[in-house]
Amino acid sequence: MDRVLLLCVILLLVRCYNMAILVDATIPNIATDESALLALKFGISHPNPDHNILASNWSTNTSVCNWIGVTCGSRHHRVIALNLSYMGLEGAIPQSLSNMSSLERIGLAFNGFSGYIPSSLFNISTLQAIDLGVNKLSGPMPSILFNMPSLQWINLYSNELSGRLPTDTFNHLPNLKRLQLSRNRFYDGLPSTLFSCKQLQDLSVWTNHFTGRVPPAIGNLTMLKKLYLAENNFAEYGFEGIVSTRGDVYSYGILLMETFTRKKPTDNIFVEEMNLKRWVEESLDDRSIVEIIDASLLGDERYNDAATMDSVLSIMGLALDCCVDSPEERINTRSIPIALNKIKSKFLQDFQRT
């Protein structure tokens, strides 16, 4: 009887051990992270192979936590951050990155990544920030189907993304603070669900193909500090819901800036949140406007005087008045020629005195 009992105990121990091995094999660990990163390594390249740091640095002979661009957490010894920005990498973003279930931050900006954004990345429940700006990613913005209270920043700036924004996505981002979608090819309207992201502080969608009316629900974003809607095809509405002509005023302001700076809104110097309007605005604030004005307009030293500078400052100020984000706060069309005539008259008077 004792032998039978002992045999049962031994069999039970063996079974429990096998179950423990099976469970341990299915729990993600640092080996899971290593496999995901190796899949990324073998799927990417660099125009100059000698500059592909990952080819030599990401080696199984060293700990994943010592690999360049990788940060591990001290508590669970899992990868919590991946930052490979500005490395000139090319290739696709593999689905396997979503197996890194402790990731908090993904930074792959300013590279040459192409193809679709794996929707599975947005299944990482710990994710706080994802920065894929300035790449060659295409296809739609991935849908987010599960609640992600940890996610605070999504940057997809300057890619080749297109399509409509997924309506359900924004129902699952209660703590989103920064959404940067500028310089892509998104079209149609902004979904009203976007304005349920009550913590949003920075919304940037300029230079896309959005159309229609900006939903009145934008007023729900009481935390909003930065709003960039320019260079789309939004219809603009006054308080009574009537389409206004102030979109033309905005375009005229941009035209003035282009004329005097010889820069276009699509020029490569305007990256991330810097655009033509902001560039002029900041130069005007610190009185360095002469540094951005087309040199051919100021080339003759006879005309590069206080009268000229005052006129240029006034014209750029007028341009900014035309480009105020709120249509109701812009200068009206009748006031523009009046302002220009005043600038001209003052310039002639000041010039005659010199």
Side-chain angles (χ1 to χ4, degrees), residues 153-199:
W153 181 30
I154 299 175
N155 183 13
L156 306 179
Y157 166 81
S158 192
N159 278 282
E160 299 170 10
L161 301 170
S162 59
R164 298 178 175 88
L165 296 186
T167 55
D168 293 340
T169 287
F170 303 105
N171 288 325
H172 305 293
L173 301 171
N175 295 312
L176 186 66
K177 294 182 178 179
R178 299 177 65 187
L179 178 63
Q180 295 161 301
L181 306 178
S182 298
R183 296 188 74 170
N184 280 286
R185 301 170 186 169
F186 295 117
Y187 57 81
D188 211 348
L190 296 178
S192 58
T193 52
L194 171 61
F195 306 109
S196 64
C197 299
K198 300 293 183 63
Q199 301 302 312

Side-chain angles (χ1 to χ4, degrees), residues 177-230:
K177 294 182 178 179
R178 299 177 65 187
L179 178 63
Q180 295 161 301
L181 306 178
S182 298
R183 296 188 74 170
N184 280 286
R185 301 170 186 169
F186 295 117
Y187 57 81
D188 211 348
L190 296 178
S192 58
T193 52
L194 171 61
F195 306 109
S196 64
C197 299
K198 300 293 183 63
Q199 301 302 312
L200 203 59
Q201 299 177 13
D202 184 346
L203 174 60
S204 177
V205 298
W206 57 276
T207 313
N208 276 283
H209 303 294
F210 289 115
T211 56
R213 183 184 179 186
V214 177
I218 193 172
N220 296 336
L221 303 179
T222 57
M223 304 292 289
L224 200 63
K225 298 178 180 177
K226 298 179 180 178
L227 177 64
Y228 300 98
L229 303 176

Side-chain angles (χ1 to χ4, degrees), residues 30-42 53-72 79 81-84 87 97 100:
I30 194 67
T32 307
D33 296 342
E34 181 183 74
S35 297
L37 291 174
L38 288 175
L40 173 64
K41 171 187 175 180
F42 294 130
I53 301 175
L54 306 189
S56 57
N57 183 269
W58 283 19
S59 169
T60 54
N61 295 327
T62 58
S63 169
V64 173
C65 298
N66 293 329
W67 290 2
I68 190 168
V70 175
T71 302
C72 291
V79 176
L82 176 65
N83 184 7
L84 302 179
M87 288 194 175
L97 282 188
M100 302 171 69

Side-chain angles (χ1 to χ4, degrees), residues 72-122:
C72 291
S74 57
R75 184 177 179 185
H76 299 296
H77 199 61
R78 294 288 307 279
V79 176
I80 61 172
L82 176 65
N83 184 7
L84 302 179
S85 299
Y86 296 94
M87 288 194 175
L89 303 174
E90 298 178 346
I93 301 174
Q95 293 272 359
S96 59
L97 282 188
S98 60
N99 295 333
M100 302 171 69
S101 55
S102 294
L103 264 181
E104 298 175 1
R105 298 181 300 279
I106 300 175
L108 303 178
F110 289 89
N111 283 293
F113 286 104
S114 56
Y116 281 29
I117 300 172
S119 58
S120 57
L121 292 180
F122 294 94

Side-chain angles (χ1 to χ4, degrees), residues 79-353:
V79 176
I80 61 172
L82 176 65
N83 184 7
L84 302 179
S85 299
Y86 296 94
M87 288 194 175
L89 303 174
E90 298 178 346
I93 301 174
Q95 293 272 359
S96 59
L97 282 188
S98 60
N99 295 333
M100 302 171 69
S101 55
S102 294
L103 264 181
E104 298 175 1
R105 298 181 300 279
I106 300 175
L108 303 178
F110 289 89
N111 283 293
F113 286 104
S114 56
Y116 281 29
I117 300 172
S119 58
S120 57
L121 292 180
F122 294 94
N123 294 338
I124 305 174
S125 61
T126 55
L127 193 63
Q128 298 175 13
I130 179 166
D131 184 2
L132 307 179
V134 194
N135 279 287
K136 300 177 182 178
L137 298 166
S138 57
M141 178 180 176
S143 295
I144 298 177
L145 304 177
F146 305 99
N147 198 35
M148 295 193 68
S150 62
L151 190 55
Q152 299 180 27
W153 181 30
I154 299 175
N155 183 13
L156 306 179
Y157 166 81
S158 192
N159 278 282
E160 299 170 10
L161 301 170
S162 59
R164 298 178 175 88
L165 296 186
T167 55
D168 293 340
T169 287
F170 303 105
N171 288 325
H172 305 293
L173 301 171
N175 295 312
L176 186 66
K177 294 182 178 179
R178 299 177 65 187
L179 178 63
Q180 295 161 301
L181 306 178
S182 298
R183 296 188 74 170
N184 280 286
R185 301 170 186 169
F186 295 117
Y187 57 81
D188 211 348
L190 296 178
S192 58
T193 52
L194 171 61
F195 306 109
S196 64
C197 299
K198 300 293 183 63
Q199 301 302 312
L200 203 59
Q201 299 177 13
D202 184 346
L203 174 60
S204 177
V205 298
W206 57 276
T207 313
N208 276 283
H209 303 294
F210 289 115
T211 56
R213 183 184 179 186
V214 177
I218 193 172
N220 296 336
L221 303 179
T222 57
M223 304 292 289
L224 200 63
K225 298 178 180 177
K226 298 179 180 178
L227 177 64
Y228 300 98
L229 303 176
E231 297 170 52
N232 282 286
N233 299 307
F234 291 120
E236 297 185 346
Y237 288 73
F239 290 112
E240 298 178 1
I242 302 173
V243 178
S244 75
T245 59
R246 293 185 179 173
D248 294 333
V249 173
Y250 189 100
S251 299
Y252 182 73
I254 295 296
L255 178 63
L256 284 177
M257 296 181 201
E258 290 180 336
T259 301
F260 278 80
T261 66
R262 290 292 176 91
K263 294 289 189 295
K264 294 184 178 297
T266 55
D267 287 351
N268 292 332
I269 66 168
F270 302 124
V271 297
E272 294 186 334
E273 295 308 313
M274 181 57 69
N275 55 33
L276 177 60
K277 175 189 167 186
R278 188 171 182 180
W279 186 56
V280 171
E281 192 171 33
E282 291 183 357
S283 299
L284 201 63
D285 287 342
D286 61 15
R287 305 287 290 187
S288 61
I289 195 73
V290 67
E291 297 177 6
I292 69 169
I293 296 300
D294 177 26
S296 65
L297 296 176
L298 306 173
D300 192 329
E301 293 184 359
R302 291 178 300 165
Y303 305 113
N304 191 356
D305 52 21
T308 303
M309 289 300 97
D310 285 346
S311 296
V312 170
L313 284 169
S314 297
I315 292 172
M316 290 297 95
L318 174 61
L320 291 173
D321 288 341
C322 293
C323 295
V324 175
D325 286 333
S326 171
E328 291 77 26
E329 296 178 8
R330 290 175 198 159
I331 187 172
N332 61 56
T333 52
R334 294 180 179 178
S335 298
I336 293 175
I338 296 174
L340 287 172
N341 279 321
K342 286 182 177 179
I343 294 171
K344 181 189 72 172
S345 297
K346 187 176 186 302
F347 172 72
L348 291 175
Q349 290 174 3
D350 292 344
F351 184 72
Q352 289 171 357
R353 292 171 184 166

